[in-house]
Amino acid sequence: MTDVDGVASAEANPVTRRLTDWDRARLTALANTYGTPLYVQDLDRVRQNCARMRSAFPDADVRYAVKAHTGRAVLETVREAGLDAECASAGEVDRALTAGFTGERVHYTAVNPPARDLDRVVDIAAEAPAMTITLGAVDTLDRLTERGYDGRACLRVNPGVGAGHHAKVRTGAAPKFGIPYDRAERVAREAATRVDVVGIHAHAGSGIDADDLEDHRSLVSRMGSLARSLTAPATDELAADSADDGQIVTDPLALEYVDVGGGFGVPYRADEPPLDLDAVAEATRDALGVLPGVDLAVEPGRYVVADAGVLLTRVNTVKPTASEVVVGVDAGMTDLLRPAMYDAYHPIRLLGGATAAPAPADRESTSVTVAGPICETGDVFCRDRRIERPVRGDLLAVGITGAYGYEMASQYNSRPRSAEVALAGGDARLVRRRERHADLTRVERDATADADDETGGSR
Ligand code: LLP
Protein backbone atom coordinates (compact mmCIF):
# COMPACT_ATOMS: atom_id res chain seq x y z
CA MET A 1 0.00 0.00 0.00
CA THR A 2 1.48 3.34 -0.98
CA ASP A 3 1.27 6.38 1.20
CA VAL A 4 -1.69 8.62 0.50
CA ASP A 5 -2.83 11.25 2.96
CA GLY A 6 -0.84 9.71 5.74
CA VAL A 7 -2.38 6.24 5.55
CA ALA A 8 0.71 4.23 5.00
CA SER A 9 0.41 0.49 5.30
CA ALA A 10 -2.08 -2.31 4.82
CA GLU A 11 -1.89 -2.73 8.57
CA ALA A 12 -2.82 0.90 9.19
CA ASN A 13 -5.47 0.74 6.50
CA PRO A 14 -6.91 -2.77 6.17
CA VAL A 15 -8.74 -3.59 2.96
CA THR A 16 -11.73 -4.89 4.89
CA ARG A 17 -13.53 -3.78 8.01
CA ARG A 18 -15.79 -6.62 9.09
CA LEU A 19 -18.59 -6.38 11.61
CA THR A 20 -16.53 -8.47 14.04
CA ASP A 21 -13.78 -5.81 13.94
CA TRP A 22 -15.96 -3.30 15.78
CA ASP A 23 -15.45 -2.99 19.51
CA ARG A 24 -18.41 -4.54 21.27
CA ALA A 25 -18.11 -2.47 24.44
CA ARG A 26 -17.97 0.76 22.48
CA LEU A 27 -21.01 -0.07 20.38
CA THR A 28 -22.91 -1.10 23.49
CA ALA A 29 -22.02 2.15 25.23
CA LEU A 30 -23.19 4.16 22.19
CA ALA A 31 -26.53 2.35 22.10
CA ASN A 32 -26.98 2.92 25.82
CA THR A 33 -26.18 6.63 25.48
CA TYR A 34 -28.12 7.48 22.31
CA GLY A 35 -30.81 4.80 22.24
CA THR A 36 -31.75 2.51 19.38
CA PRO A 37 -32.15 2.19 16.47
CA LEU A 38 -28.86 4.01 16.03
CA TYR A 39 -26.64 4.43 13.00
CA VAL A 40 -22.94 4.70 13.78
CA GLN A 41 -20.62 6.06 11.08
CA ASP A 42 -16.87 5.94 11.60
CA LEU A 43 -15.28 8.91 9.86
CA ASP A 44 -11.79 7.49 10.33
CA ARG A 45 -12.79 4.48 8.26
CA VAL A 46 -14.33 6.76 5.61
CA ARG A 47 -10.96 8.51 5.44
CA GLN A 48 -9.15 5.18 5.06
CA ASN A 49 -11.48 4.09 2.28
CA CYS A 50 -10.89 7.38 0.44
CA ALA A 51 -7.14 6.90 0.81
CA ARG A 52 -7.24 3.35 -0.61
CA MET A 53 -9.36 4.53 -3.51
CA ARG A 54 -6.97 7.38 -4.30
CA SER A 55 -4.02 5.09 -3.95
CA ALA A 56 -5.48 2.57 -6.44
CA PHE A 57 -6.41 5.34 -8.88
CA PRO A 58 -3.59 7.86 -8.31
CA ASP A 59 -4.02 9.65 -11.65
CA ALA A 60 -7.81 9.64 -11.74
CA ASP A 61 -10.36 12.15 -10.54
CA VAL A 62 -12.17 10.34 -7.74
CA ARG A 63 -15.69 11.61 -7.19
CA TYR A 64 -17.69 10.43 -4.22
CA ALA A 65 -21.24 9.42 -5.19
CA VAL A 66 -22.99 11.46 -2.52
CA LYS A 67 -26.19 9.40 -2.68
CA ALA A 68 -24.57 6.59 -0.70
CA HIS A 69 -24.46 8.74 2.43
CA THR A 70 -25.21 12.46 2.40
CA GLY A 71 -24.50 13.24 6.05
CA ARG A 72 -22.56 16.46 6.41
CA ALA A 73 -19.83 14.94 8.55
CA VAL A 74 -19.24 12.30 5.87
CA LEU A 75 -19.22 14.89 3.08
CA GLU A 76 -16.71 17.04 4.95
CA THR A 77 -14.50 14.03 5.58
CA VAL A 78 -14.58 13.02 1.92
CA ARG A 79 -13.86 16.58 0.82
CA GLU A 80 -10.88 16.81 3.16
CA ALA A 81 -9.64 13.49 1.78
CA GLY A 82 -9.47 15.10 -1.66
CA LEU A 83 -12.43 13.50 -3.44
CA ASP A 84 -14.90 15.48 -5.56
CA ALA A 85 -18.68 15.14 -5.20
CA GLU A 86 -20.97 13.40 -7.70
CA CYS A 87 -24.53 14.50 -7.03
CA ALA A 88 -27.77 12.95 -8.27
CA SER A 89 -30.09 15.85 -7.51
CA ALA A 90 -30.16 19.56 -6.80
CA GLY A 91 -30.61 18.65 -3.15
CA GLU A 92 -27.36 16.74 -3.18
CA VAL A 93 -25.63 19.64 -4.96
CA ASP A 94 -26.83 21.98 -2.22
CA ARG A 95 -25.60 19.59 0.44
CA ALA A 96 -22.19 19.26 -1.22
CA LEU A 97 -21.79 23.04 -1.42
CA THR A 98 -22.88 23.42 2.20
CA ALA A 99 -20.24 20.87 3.16
CA GLY A 100 -17.62 23.08 1.53
CA PHE A 101 -17.13 21.56 -1.93
CA THR A 102 -16.34 24.35 -4.36
CA GLY A 103 -18.08 24.45 -7.74
CA GLU A 104 -15.26 22.83 -9.70
CA ARG A 105 -15.46 19.82 -7.41
CA VAL A 106 -19.20 19.30 -7.93
CA HIS A 107 -20.52 17.08 -10.72
CA TYR A 108 -24.28 16.96 -11.06
CA THR A 109 -25.58 13.86 -12.85
CA ALA A 110 -29.09 14.63 -14.04
CA VAL A 111 -31.44 11.66 -14.47
CA ASN A 112 -34.78 12.82 -15.89
CA PRO A 113 -34.29 15.96 -13.82
CA PRO A 114 -37.42 17.67 -12.54
CA ALA A 115 -37.73 21.32 -13.63
CA ARG A 116 -37.13 22.45 -10.08
CA ASP A 117 -33.74 20.70 -10.07
CA LEU A 118 -32.67 22.30 -13.33
CA ASP A 119 -33.79 25.75 -12.18
CA ARG A 120 -31.78 25.38 -9.01
CA VAL A 121 -28.67 23.90 -10.61
CA VAL A 122 -28.56 26.49 -13.39
CA ASP A 123 -28.79 29.19 -10.71
CA ILE A 124 -25.95 27.58 -8.80
CA ALA A 125 -23.88 27.23 -11.98
CA ALA A 126 -24.21 30.97 -12.60
CA GLU A 127 -22.39 31.50 -9.29
CA ALA A 128 -20.10 28.51 -9.67
CA PRO A 129 -19.42 28.13 -13.42
CA ALA A 130 -16.76 25.47 -12.86
CA MET A 131 -19.44 22.97 -11.86
CA THR A 132 -20.23 20.28 -14.43
CA ILE A 133 -23.65 18.98 -15.43
CA THR A 134 -23.83 15.44 -16.76
CA LEU A 135 -26.82 14.85 -19.01
CA GLY A 136 -28.22 11.66 -20.43
CA ALA A 137 -30.88 12.84 -22.89
CA VAL A 138 -31.16 15.44 -25.63
CA ASP A 139 -34.27 16.74 -23.89
CA THR A 140 -32.16 17.53 -20.85
CA LEU A 141 -29.74 19.47 -23.04
CA ASP A 142 -32.64 21.38 -24.58
CA ARG A 143 -34.11 22.14 -21.17
CA LEU A 144 -30.75 23.40 -19.93
CA THR A 145 -30.15 25.66 -22.91
CA GLU A 146 -33.71 26.98 -22.64
CA ARG A 147 -32.64 28.17 -19.21
CA GLY A 148 -29.65 29.94 -20.71
CA TYR A 149 -27.09 27.32 -19.69
CA ASP A 150 -24.03 27.10 -21.93
CA GLY A 151 -21.49 25.93 -19.38
CA ARG A 152 -19.59 22.73 -18.67
CA ALA A 153 -21.39 19.55 -19.69
CA CYS A 154 -20.63 15.87 -19.71
CA LEU A 155 -22.53 13.37 -21.80
CA ARG A 156 -23.87 10.28 -20.05
CA VAL A 157 -23.73 7.33 -22.40
CA ASN A 158 -25.64 4.08 -22.21
CA PRO A 159 -22.82 1.65 -22.94
CA GLY A 160 -25.13 -1.33 -23.27
CA VAL A 161 -23.19 -3.18 -20.56
CA GLY A 162 -24.62 -3.50 -17.06
CA ALA A 163 -23.36 -5.12 -13.86
CA GLY A 164 -24.19 -5.14 -10.16
CA HIS A 165 -25.48 -7.07 -7.17
CA HIS A 166 -29.16 -7.04 -8.18
CA ALA A 167 -31.25 -6.40 -11.31
CA LYS A 168 -32.60 -3.23 -9.73
CA VAL A 169 -29.16 -1.61 -9.57
CA ARG A 170 -27.79 -2.59 -13.01
CA THR A 171 -27.87 0.66 -14.91
CA GLY A 172 -25.43 0.27 -17.79
CA ALA A 173 -27.86 -1.34 -20.20
CA ALA A 174 -31.10 0.09 -18.78
CA PRO A 175 -32.74 2.37 -21.36
CA LYS A 176 -33.56 4.85 -18.63
CA PHE A 177 -29.93 5.93 -18.40
CA GLY A 178 -27.79 7.73 -20.92
CA ILE A 179 -27.63 8.37 -24.64
CA PRO A 180 -27.58 5.09 -26.61
CA TYR A 181 -23.98 4.27 -27.44
CA ASP A 182 -24.48 4.24 -31.20
CA ARG A 183 -25.82 7.80 -31.15
CA ALA A 184 -23.40 9.16 -28.58
CA GLU A 185 -20.77 10.63 -30.88
CA ARG A 186 -23.27 12.53 -32.93
CA VAL A 187 -25.14 13.81 -29.86
CA ALA A 188 -21.88 14.88 -28.20
CA ARG A 189 -20.79 16.80 -31.30
CA GLU A 190 -24.20 18.37 -31.58
CA ALA A 191 -24.18 19.27 -27.88
CA ALA A 192 -20.76 20.88 -28.36
CA THR A 193 -22.39 23.58 -30.50
CA ARG A 194 -24.41 24.66 -27.47
CA VAL A 195 -22.48 23.78 -24.32
CA ASP A 196 -18.88 23.11 -23.35
CA VAL A 197 -18.57 19.32 -23.63
CA VAL A 198 -15.79 18.40 -21.19
CA GLY A 199 -16.40 14.72 -20.57
CA ILE A 200 -18.23 11.50 -21.23
CA HIS A 201 -19.70 9.26 -18.58
CA ALA A 202 -21.10 5.77 -18.08
CA HIS A 203 -22.00 3.71 -15.01
CA ALA A 204 -22.43 -0.06 -15.19
CA GLY A 205 -24.24 -0.52 -11.91
CA SER A 206 -23.68 -0.94 -8.21
CA GLY A 207 -21.92 -3.67 -6.25
CA ILE A 208 -19.43 -4.86 -8.85
CA ASP A 209 -17.38 -7.86 -7.75
CA ALA A 210 -14.58 -9.90 -9.30
CA ASP A 211 -17.10 -11.76 -11.50
CA ASP A 212 -18.17 -8.48 -13.07
CA LEU A 213 -14.67 -7.49 -14.09
CA GLU A 214 -15.13 -8.51 -17.73
CA ASP A 215 -18.26 -6.36 -18.00
CA HIS A 216 -16.40 -3.48 -16.40
CA ARG A 217 -13.58 -3.93 -18.90
CA SER A 218 -15.92 -3.92 -21.84
CA LEU A 219 -17.70 -0.78 -20.61
CA VAL A 220 -14.39 1.00 -20.16
CA SER A 221 -13.10 -0.10 -23.52
CA ARG A 222 -16.24 1.19 -25.25
CA MET A 223 -15.82 4.51 -23.47
CA GLY A 224 -12.16 4.65 -24.51
CA SER A 225 -13.11 4.13 -28.15
CA LEU A 226 -15.78 6.80 -27.97
CA ALA A 227 -13.35 9.24 -26.40
CA ARG A 228 -10.82 8.54 -29.16
CA SER A 229 -13.46 9.27 -31.80
CA LEU A 230 -14.49 12.48 -30.09
CA THR A 231 -10.96 13.77 -29.66
CA ALA A 232 -10.30 13.24 -33.37
CA PRO A 233 -11.97 15.13 -36.22
CA ALA A 234 -15.43 13.83 -37.12
CA THR A 235 -15.39 11.27 -39.90
CA ASP A 236 -16.47 12.48 -43.35
CA GLU A 237 -19.41 10.16 -43.09
CA LEU A 238 -20.66 11.67 -39.83
CA ALA A 239 -20.01 15.20 -41.14
CA ALA A 240 -21.91 14.50 -44.36
CA ASP A 241 -24.69 12.80 -42.47
CA SER A 242 -25.10 15.84 -40.25
CA ALA A 243 -24.62 18.38 -43.05
CA ASP A 244 -28.33 18.87 -43.61
CA ASP A 245 -28.80 20.55 -40.29
CA GLY A 246 -25.17 21.62 -40.02
CA GLN A 247 -25.37 21.23 -36.32
CA ILE A 248 -22.26 19.41 -35.28
CA VAL A 249 -18.74 20.32 -34.27
CA THR A 250 -16.47 18.43 -36.65
CA ASP A 251 -13.21 19.49 -34.99
CA PRO A 252 -11.75 17.34 -32.21
CA LEU A 253 -13.53 17.95 -28.90
CA ALA A 254 -11.34 19.02 -25.97
CA LEU A 255 -12.45 16.30 -23.58
CA GLU A 256 -11.01 16.62 -20.09
CA TYR A 257 -12.10 13.24 -18.78
CA VAL A 258 -13.78 9.89 -19.29
CA ASP A 259 -15.85 8.98 -16.23
CA VAL A 260 -16.41 5.24 -16.01
CA GLY A 261 -18.76 5.42 -13.03
CA GLY A 262 -18.72 3.80 -9.62
CA GLY A 263 -20.11 0.54 -8.36
CA PHE A 264 -17.03 -0.94 -6.68
CA GLY A 265 -18.37 -3.66 -4.40
CA VAL A 266 -17.58 -4.40 -0.77
CA PRO A 267 -17.78 -7.81 0.93
CA TYR A 268 -20.96 -8.14 2.98
CA ARG A 269 -20.53 -11.84 3.82
CA ALA A 270 -17.81 -12.96 6.19
CA ASP A 271 -16.37 -15.40 3.65
CA GLU A 272 -16.53 -13.00 0.71
CA PRO A 273 -13.12 -11.76 -0.48
CA PRO A 274 -12.67 -8.02 -0.88
CA LEU A 275 -12.53 -6.53 -4.35
CA ASP A 276 -8.95 -6.26 -5.54
CA LEU A 277 -9.05 -2.55 -6.21
CA ASP A 278 -5.56 -2.44 -7.67
CA ALA A 279 -6.56 -5.14 -10.17
CA VAL A 280 -9.72 -3.20 -11.07
CA ALA A 281 -7.67 -0.05 -11.55
CA GLU A 282 -5.18 -1.87 -13.74
CA ALA A 283 -7.96 -3.44 -15.81
CA THR A 284 -9.54 0.00 -16.14
CA ARG A 285 -6.38 1.68 -17.40
CA ASP A 286 -5.69 -1.22 -19.71
CA ALA A 287 -9.20 -1.24 -21.20
CA LEU A 288 -9.31 2.53 -21.58
CA GLY A 289 -6.21 2.54 -23.77
CA VAL A 290 -4.15 5.57 -24.67
CA LEU A 291 -5.95 8.89 -24.43
CA PRO A 292 -3.47 11.78 -24.41
CA GLY A 293 -4.61 14.70 -22.29
CA VAL A 294 -7.81 13.01 -21.16
CA ASP A 295 -8.14 12.00 -17.49
CA LEU A 296 -9.87 8.98 -16.06
CA ALA A 297 -12.63 9.62 -13.51
CA VAL A 298 -14.38 7.18 -11.16
CA GLU A 299 -17.38 7.65 -8.88
CA PRO A 300 -17.37 5.32 -5.89
CA GLY A 301 -20.19 5.61 -3.38
CA ARG A 302 -20.57 2.34 -1.50
CA TYR A 303 -16.83 1.67 -1.32
CA VAL A 304 -16.22 4.91 0.55
CA VAL A 305 -18.83 4.55 3.27
CA ALA A 306 -20.34 1.04 3.47
CA ASP A 307 -18.04 -0.66 5.95
CA ALA A 308 -17.74 2.54 7.98
CA GLY A 309 -21.31 2.09 9.21
CA VAL A 310 -23.18 -0.09 11.68
CA LEU A 311 -26.84 -0.08 12.68
CA LEU A 312 -27.55 -0.88 16.32
CA THR A 313 -30.93 -2.28 17.26
CA ARG A 314 -32.47 -3.75 20.40
CA VAL A 315 -34.32 -7.02 20.72
CA ASN A 316 -37.83 -6.53 22.02
CA THR A 317 -39.46 -9.90 21.28
CA VAL A 318 -38.21 -13.46 21.00
CA LYS A 319 -40.84 -15.83 19.67
CA PRO A 320 -40.27 -19.52 19.05
CA THR A 321 -42.53 -20.82 16.28
CA ALA A 322 -42.91 -24.22 14.65
CA SER A 323 -40.54 -23.24 11.85
CA GLU A 324 -38.11 -20.75 13.35
CA VAL A 325 -37.25 -18.42 16.17
CA VAL A 326 -38.41 -14.91 15.32
CA VAL A 327 -36.30 -12.21 16.91
CA GLY A 328 -38.19 -8.92 16.87
CA VAL A 329 -36.03 -5.78 16.92
CA ASP A 330 -36.70 -2.05 17.02
CA ALA A 331 -35.15 -1.30 13.59
CA GLY A 332 -36.90 -2.32 10.42
CA MET A 333 -37.13 -1.75 6.70
CA THR A 334 -37.80 1.91 7.36
CA ASP A 335 -34.30 2.18 8.83
CA LEU A 336 -32.54 -0.25 6.48
CA LEU A 337 -34.41 -1.01 3.28
CA ARG A 338 -31.76 -3.05 1.46
CA PRO A 339 -32.79 -6.54 2.65
CA ALA A 340 -36.46 -5.92 1.77
CA MET A 341 -35.71 -4.21 -1.52
CA TYR A 342 -32.82 -6.27 -2.91
CA ASP A 343 -32.78 -9.36 -0.68
CA ALA A 344 -29.47 -7.90 0.41
CA TYR A 345 -27.35 -9.74 2.94
CA HIS A 346 -26.06 -7.81 5.97
CA PRO A 347 -24.01 -9.47 8.71
CA ILE A 348 -25.70 -9.50 12.11
CA ARG A 349 -23.90 -9.87 15.40
CA LEU A 350 -25.22 -10.38 18.90
CA LEU A 351 -23.70 -7.80 21.22
CA GLY A 352 -25.67 -9.04 24.25
CA GLY A 353 -26.40 -6.73 27.11
CA ALA A 354 -29.72 -8.10 28.36
CA THR A 355 -29.88 -8.03 32.13
CA ALA A 356 -28.73 -11.29 33.70
CA ALA A 357 -28.15 -12.95 30.34
CA PRO A 358 -24.86 -14.76 29.75
CA ALA A 359 -22.23 -13.16 27.53
CA PRO A 360 -22.77 -13.96 23.82
CA ALA A 361 -19.79 -16.32 23.78
CA ASP A 362 -21.45 -18.45 26.47
CA ARG A 363 -24.67 -18.99 24.57
CA GLU A 364 -25.77 -21.73 22.19
CA SER A 365 -26.11 -20.66 18.61
CA THR A 366 -29.45 -21.00 16.93
CA SER A 367 -31.10 -20.23 13.64
CA VAL A 368 -33.15 -17.03 13.69
CA THR A 369 -35.29 -14.71 11.62
CA VAL A 370 -34.61 -11.10 12.58
CA ALA A 371 -37.75 -9.06 11.98
CA GLY A 372 -38.55 -5.36 12.33
CA PRO A 373 -41.60 -3.53 13.67
CA ILE A 374 -43.15 -2.69 10.30
CA CYS A 375 -46.44 -4.30 9.35
CA GLU A 376 -45.07 -5.96 6.19
CA THR A 377 -44.02 -9.58 5.71
CA GLY A 378 -40.93 -8.39 3.88
CA ASP A 379 -39.75 -6.47 6.94
CA VAL A 380 -37.04 -8.96 7.90
CA PHE A 381 -33.29 -8.42 7.98
CA CYS A 382 -32.48 -12.12 7.61
CA ARG A 383 -33.99 -15.60 7.70
CA ASP A 384 -32.43 -18.81 8.91
CA ARG A 385 -29.32 -17.05 10.20
CA ARG A 386 -27.21 -18.79 12.87
CA ILE A 387 -26.20 -16.49 15.70
CA GLU A 388 -25.87 -16.90 19.46
CA ARG A 389 -29.35 -17.07 20.88
CA PRO A 390 -30.66 -13.54 21.58
CA VAL A 391 -32.96 -12.71 24.48
CA ARG A 392 -35.19 -9.74 25.06
CA GLY A 393 -33.17 -6.63 25.88
CA ASP A 394 -30.07 -7.66 23.93
CA LEU A 395 -28.43 -5.47 21.36
CA LEU A 396 -27.76 -6.58 17.81
CA ALA A 397 -25.39 -4.91 15.39
CA VAL A 398 -26.21 -4.97 11.68
CA GLY A 399 -23.02 -4.50 9.69
CA ILE A 400 -21.91 -2.74 6.49
CA THR A 401 -24.81 -0.31 6.66
CA GLY A 402 -22.90 2.90 5.97
CA ALA A 403 -23.96 3.01 2.32
CA TYR A 404 -27.62 3.31 1.30
CA GLY A 405 -28.69 2.72 4.91
CA TYR A 406 -29.87 5.97 6.46
CA GLU A 407 -30.14 7.35 2.92
CA MET A 408 -33.00 5.04 2.01
CA ALA A 409 -34.79 5.37 5.35
CA SER A 410 -38.43 6.45 5.43
CA GLN A 411 -41.20 7.24 7.87
CA TYR A 412 -43.50 4.46 6.65
CA ASN A 413 -45.80 3.17 9.40
CA SER A 414 -45.19 6.57 11.00
CA ARG A 415 -41.82 5.46 12.32
CA PRO A 416 -39.53 8.38 13.08
CA ARG A 417 -36.10 8.00 11.50
CA SER A 418 -33.28 6.81 13.73
CA ALA A 419 -30.46 8.88 15.17
CA GLU A 420 -26.92 8.82 13.82
CA VAL A 421 -23.62 9.20 15.60
CA ALA A 422 -20.30 9.94 13.90
CA LEU A 423 -17.05 8.62 15.34
CA ALA A 424 -13.70 10.35 14.90
CA GLY A 425 -10.70 9.27 16.90
CA GLY A 426 -12.02 8.54 20.36
CA ASP A 427 -14.93 10.94 20.03
CA ALA A 428 -18.57 10.29 19.28
CA ARG A 429 -20.87 13.07 18.09
CA LEU A 430 -24.59 13.03 17.45
CA VAL A 431 -24.91 14.14 13.82
CA ARG A 432 -28.59 13.41 13.19
CA ARG A 433 -30.98 13.52 16.07
CA ARG A 434 -33.65 10.90 16.37
CA GLU A 435 -36.89 12.10 14.79
CA ARG A 436 -39.82 12.64 17.09
CA HIS A 437 -43.52 12.08 16.55
CA ALA A 438 -43.86 15.82 15.99
CA ASP A 439 -41.55 15.48 12.95
CA LEU A 440 -44.04 13.06 11.39
CA THR A 441 -46.70 15.73 11.12
CA ARG A 442 -44.49 18.73 10.51
CA VAL A 443 -45.25 19.06 6.79
CA GLU A 444 -48.97 18.75 7.48
CA ARG A 445 -48.78 21.56 9.98
CA ASP A 446 -46.67 23.61 7.58
CA ALA A 447 -49.23 22.97 4.83
CA THR A 448 -51.94 24.46 6.98
CA ALA A 449 -49.73 27.45 7.69
CA ASP A 450 -48.97 27.79 3.96
CA ALA A 451 -52.54 27.21 2.82
CA ASP A 452 -52.56 30.43 0.80
CA ASP A 453 -49.34 29.53 -0.92
CA GLU A 454 -50.30 27.84 -4.18
CA THR A 455 -46.83 26.50 -4.79
CA GLY A 456 -47.37 23.83 -2.15
CA GLY A 457 -44.06 24.83 -0.64
CA SER A 458 -42.21 24.06 -3.86
CA ARG A 459 -39.95 27.09 -3.98
N1 LLP B 1 -22.45 6.96 -10.22
C1 LLP B 1 -23.73 6.89 -10.63
C2 LLP B 1 -24.13 7.58 -11.84
C3 LLP B 1 -24.65 6.12 -9.89
O1 LLP B 1 -25.89 6.04 -10.30
C4 LLP B 1 -24.22 5.45 -8.72
C5 LLP B 1 -25.16 4.65 -7.93
C6 LLP B 1 -22.88 5.57 -8.34
C7 LLP B 1 -22.01 6.35 -9.12
C8 LLP B 1 -22.33 4.93 -7.10
O2 LLP B 1 -22.45 3.56 -7.09
P1 LLP B 1 -21.76 2.75 -5.88
O3 LLP B 1 -20.28 2.98 -5.99
O4 LLP B 1 -22.29 3.28 -4.61
O5 LLP B 1 -22.14 1.35 -6.07
N2 LLP B 1 -29.48 1.55 -3.32
C9 LLP B 1 -28.65 0.56 -3.97
C10 LLP B 1 -27.55 1.16 -4.80
C11 LLP B 1 -28.05 2.09 -5.88
C12 LLP B 1 -26.94 2.81 -6.58
C13 LLP B 1 -27.44 3.87 -7.48
N3 LLP B 1 -26.41 4.53 -8.22
C14 LLP B 1 -28.09 -0.39 -2.90
O6 LLP B 1 -28.36 -0.17 -1.73
O7 LLP B 1 -27.40 -1.35 -3.23
Side-chain angles (χ1 to χ4, degrees):
M1 176 77 45
T2 49
D3 185 276
V4 172
D5 293 348
V7 182
S9 67
E11 206 170 87
N13 187 353
V15 176
T16 55
R17 157 77 78 86
R18 309 272 182 185
L19 179 55
T20 44
D21 296 329
W22 291 75
D23 183 64
R24 183 161 75 96
R26 188 165 195 209
L27 292 178
T28 303
L30 290 169
N32 290 339
T33 303
Y34 297 99
T36 55
L38 180 71
Y39 270 104
V40 179
Q41 192 75 13
D42 182 350
L43 302 177
D44 295 328
R45 181 60 182 163
V46 171
R47 210 166 284 124
Q48 291 181 340
N49 291 339
C50 292
R52 283 200 322 287
M53 197 39 88
R54 292 192 63 201
S55 164
F57 290 96
D59 307 326
D61 286 347
V62 184
R63 301 158 179 180
Y64 168 59
V66 168
K67 63 172 80 66
H69 191 304
T70 56
R72 179 158 174 177
V74 165
L75 295 182
E76 287 174 351
T77 303
V78 167
R79 172 177 57 72
E80 284 162 15
L83 275 59
D84 284 5
E86 186 270 331
C87 303
S89 68
E92 287 188 0
V93 171
D94 271 327
R95 286 179 117 153
L97 294 171
T98 306
F101 285 93
T102 47
E104 75 271 14
R105 293 180 61 186
V106 174
H107 309 262
Y108 164 54
T109 311
V111 178
N112 299 335
R116 216 173 286 132
D117 277 41
L118 291 186
D119 292 344
R120 175 75 191 130
V121 168
V122 168
D123 275 355
I124 293 172
E127 301 291 316
M131 187 179 86
T132 305
I133 302 182
T134 300
L135 47 101
V138 174
D139 270 348
T140 308
L141 175 63
D142 291 343
R143 294 166 70 215
L144 280 167
T145 52
E146 278 162 18
R147 287 166 169 79
Y149 186 79
D150 61 1
R152 293 168 58 82
C154 167
L155 204 75
R156 181 166 184 172
V157 176
N158 183 312
V161 184
H165 70 81
H166 189 276
K168 287 183 182 154
V169 300
R170 285 178 209 133
T171 44
K176 169 172 173 176
F177 299 100
I179 310 278
Y181 187 81
D182 57 358
R183 299 209 334 252
E185 179 175 357
R186 185 175 174 148
V187 172
R189 289 185 181 279
E190 196 270 340
T193 65
R194 303 200 270 164
V195 286
D196 187 11
V197 177
V198 296
I200 55 173
H201 169 287
H203 172 69
S206 195
I208 291 172
D209 62 17
D211 295 340
D212 295 315
L213 215 53
E214 269 320 297
D215 289 328
H216 175 72
R217 259 179 185 284
S218 92
L219 175 145
V220 175
S221 131
R222 302 200 94 192
M223 294 303 282
S225 306
L226 178 59
R228 269 183 289 281
S229 305
L230 288 171
T231 51
T235 59
D236 292 344
E237 197 187 342
L238 184 62
D241 202 32
S242 316
D244 287 349
D245 36 39
Q247 295 278 322
I248 70 163
V249 171
T250 54
D251 287 341
L253 300 191
L255 288 191
E256 293 173 13
Y257 63 82
V258 178
D259 185 331
V260 298
F264 309 103
V266 299
Y268 284 87
R269 293 174 191 269
D271 58 356
E272 219 178 311
L275 191 65
D276 182 344
L277 210 52
D278 293 327
V280 176
E282 196 186 320
T284 306
R285 280 189 288 267
D286 186 53
L288 194 61
V290 181
L291 276 172
V294 182
D295 289 335
L296 169 69
V298 290
E299 296 175 348
R302 186 188 312 271
Y303 195 91
V304 173
V305 284
D307 69 2
V310 166
L311 172 64
L312 301 177
T313 183
R314 202 169 289 277
V315 176
N316 53 43
T317 308
V318 177
K319 186 173 65 171
T321 71
S323 57
E324 62 217 285
V325 175
V326 178
V327 175
V329 296
D330 62 4
M333 62 190 281
T334 49
D335 302 289
L336 178 65
L337 183 61
R338 302 191 71 256
M341 182 135 172
Y342 313 115
D343 287 324
Y345 179 98
H346 283 269
I348 294 184
R349 176 177 164 203
L350 176 72
L351 299 179
T355 318
D362 298 330
R363 303 194 204 175
E364 298 280 302
S365 79
T366 186
S367 177
V368 297
T369 292
V370 176
I374 306 303
C375 203
E376 292 249 4
T377 312
D379 179 34
V380 292
F381 286 154
C382 64
R383 289 200 166 83
D384 201 14
R385 184 81 61 88
R386 274 206 99 72
I387 57 173
E388 292 112 1
R389 193 181 191 95
V391 298
R392 181 150 53 93
D394 274 334
L395 278 174
L396 294 183
V398 185
I400 329 279
T401 52
Y404 307 108
Y406 193 100
E407 280 315 308
M408 296 176 81
S410 77
Q411 295 177 331
Y412 179 45
N413 270 207
S414 288
R415 296 241 153 250
R417 274 180 283 242
S418 57
E420 186 184 35
V421 165
L423 307 181
D427 296 337
R429 180 163 59 98
L430 184 70
V431 286
R432 300 201 236 219
R433 71 156 169 82
R434 183 175 308 289
E435 286 183 337
R436 310 179 180 105
H437 281 186
D439 292 313
L440 302 173
T441 51
R442 187 164 49 87
V443 286
E444 288 173 27
R445 281 178 280 120
D446 289 353
T448 312
D450 288 2
D452 293 337
D453 180 351
E454 287 174 13
T455 66
S458 67
R459 294 147 300 171

